[in-house]
Amino acid sequence: MQGTTPEFLRWALAYACPLRDFPKWTDPNRTERHLRAIRVYQNAVRQNRVFNGIAVQPVDGDCIDVETVLGFRVHDVFEFYGDPQSVSETCQSCPANIPGHEQSPTWVGCYGLMPVSEVVLPDLVAEVPQGKADLRVLLESVLETDPDLAQRVRDNFDNTTPAWYGLWISRTPSCRQRQIQLEVLEKLLAQAPCPITPPWEAFQRAVRLSIEQDIQLHLQLVPAAETDGIYWYVDEHCGRCGAMSTTQTHTGTQCLVCKNEGRPRNRQRRFVRGKRPYWKMTRFLGEQGTRQFLEEYKLYKGWDHVTIR
């Protein structure tokens, strides 16, 4: 994955369950890392990419390269969680699981990423898609035209410029704050210059569910970053509100967005979340085993036009 990732919110509903039996299980980042493989598997099932116990990466074009095609054994993914059936039963009865479509119930719907733009990232992507919408800018317009909402935001959140950053400074917003956040989201999405995306809708549902079920919501704002496919580079930003540090937003000793005193966080380099749970299929099937599997998979999919090389 290469390009610029937009600023986004990591979120997780804090409800203990057997699938989240790990240290600091309420942390949105840890939750995403531990449960992402389940979601990737369910996406593969929905797209009919699971065959003989192996999930295969989406195939584009008319040629599949044996040496580079990716996949994973379903058993390996569920070794920690039990099996798909037990995960399904756990999630179906979980009050923190955001409901999906009746025909395809959602698993591990207790966490997500909510970008400020309409970007939707698939499980595997070579280049980061670029969005045109910006909820931060749209929020300023909404608050200008709704003085009552603007006053409630000022009364219940840290005052920041832009107002967007004050909404998310608290890692564990109170129920009252979540009620206002939900009202803000509903107005933003109603006026967004593009269709509501799945990540936007999921976060809106999560905030609503946290209020209805009285479940604490944990948030983490992640600044925009550059990625070269291996590393993820986050430029200097405020350690309190998460706003990027520029000559317009930081004096060197104070963040002008949230008025936090202190220097910004230094530029950070982290590994991208990578292709997990996908691996090169030759690593667990060998070259000949991969070729044989792909020939059978090709017949299963009815791909008469696809070449395996």
Side-chain angles (χ1 to χ4, degrees):
M1 182 171 63
Q2 297 182 342
T4 302
T5 56
E7 178 182 296
F8 61 87
L9 284 170
R10 279 196 180 104
W11 60 267
L13 291 163
Y15 190 85
C17 82
L19 302 179
R20 295 172 74 173
D21 184 18
F22 49 83
K24 298 182 180 179
W25 61 270
T26 60
D27 179 78
N29 185 34
R30 285 177 175 260
T31 300
E32 198 266 348
R33 286 182 175 273
H34 280 268
L35 300 184
R36 179 173 176 264
I38 295 176
R39 189 170 291 177
V40 171
Y41 164 76
Q42 192 176 33
N43 288 341
V45 171
R46 287 171 174 167
Q47 297 167 14
N48 192 28
R49 293 187 285 104
V50 178
F51 176 69
N52 285 352
I54 294 177
V56 185
Q57 72 172 95
V59 175
D60 296 321
D62 298 334
C63 183
I64 304 177
D65 188 344
V66 171
E67 292 296 330
T68 60
V69 66
L70 304 178
F72 61 85
R73 287 193 178 102
V74 174
H75 171 77
D76 292 343
V77 163
F78 285 90
E79 187 175 10
F80 175 79
Y81 309 110
D83 56 66
Q85 182 60 34
S86 62
V87 169
S88 176
E89 292 172 356
T90 297
C91 290
Q92 285 177 11
S93 61
C94 178
N97 187 41
I98 296 174
H101 301 291
E102 292 183 3
Q103 296 83 358
S104 183
T106 299
W107 299 351
V108 292
C110 55
Y111 79 92
L113 308 177
M114 204 282 288
V116 297
S117 69
E118 74 276 23
V119 168
V120 179
L121 294 177
D123 296 331
L124 290 169
V125 58
E127 295 184 0
V128 181
Q130 298 300 306
K132 296 180 180 179
D134 192 324
L135 297 183
R136 297 167 297 190
V137 175
L138 185 58
L139 176 62
E140 297 300 312
S141 175
V142 166
L143 295 181
E144 285 181 7
T145 58
D146 192 334
D148 290 337
L149 177 59
Q151 187 61 53
R152 289 197 296 279
V153 169
R154 286 193 293 270
D155 291 344
N156 290 275
F157 297 91
D158 290 58
N159 292 323
T160 61
T161 307
W164 175 263
Y165 294 94
L167 283 173
W168 319 115
I169 282 180
S170 174
R171 295 290 187 92
T172 54
S174 67
C175 185
R176 174 59 177 162
Q177 288 177 320
R178 281 177 272 143
Q179 290 171 343
I180 297 172
Q181 288 170 340
L182 178 60
E183 184 179 356
V184 168
L185 285 168
E186 289 174 342
K187 289 183 177 292
L188 287 178
L189 300 185
Q191 299 183 32
C194 58
I196 297 177
T197 64
W200 287 353
E201 182 180 22
F203 183 56
Q204 183 182 29
R205 288 184 173 189
V207 178
R208 182 180 295 112
L209 192 65
S210 76
I211 298 167
E212 295 173 350
Q213 299 290 339
D214 191 23
I215 300 173
Q216 183 62 64
L217 180 67
H218 288 247
L219 303 173
Q220 179 187 10
L221 190 143
V222 181
E226 296 289 333
T227 177
D228 58 8
I230 299 175
Y231 293 108
W232 189 48
Y233 302 93
V234 182
D235 283 336
E236 291 186 345
H237 60 278
C238 176
R240 180 167 179 260
C241 72
M244 297 298 293
S245 177
T246 67
T247 55
Q248 288 75 39
T249 63
H250 212 285
T251 65
T253 59
Q254 184 188 51
C255 173
L256 301 180
V257 174
C258 68
K259 303 301 185 288
N260 185 52
E261 299 288 344
R263 296 185 60 79
R265 288 185 176 176
N266 293 330
R267 190 169 192 257
Q268 300 172 344
R269 187 185 77 170
R270 305 170 184 168
F271 284 107
V272 298
R273 70 179 186 179
K275 298 180 174 63
R276 297 186 326 270
Y278 288 99
W279 301 87
K280 286 186 178 181
M281 291 178 64
T282 53
R283 292 184 58 176
F284 57 86
L285 291 181
E287 181 180 351
Q288 287 301 115
T290 300
R291 187 177 298 278
Q292 180 178 345
F293 172 86
L294 291 176
E295 292 289 355
E296 295 174 358
Y297 183 66
K298 173 182 171 180
L299 291 174
Y300 167 73
K301 299 288 282 188
W303 287 345
D304 296 333
H305 63 288
V306 173
T307 301
I308 298 172
R309 62 179 176 87

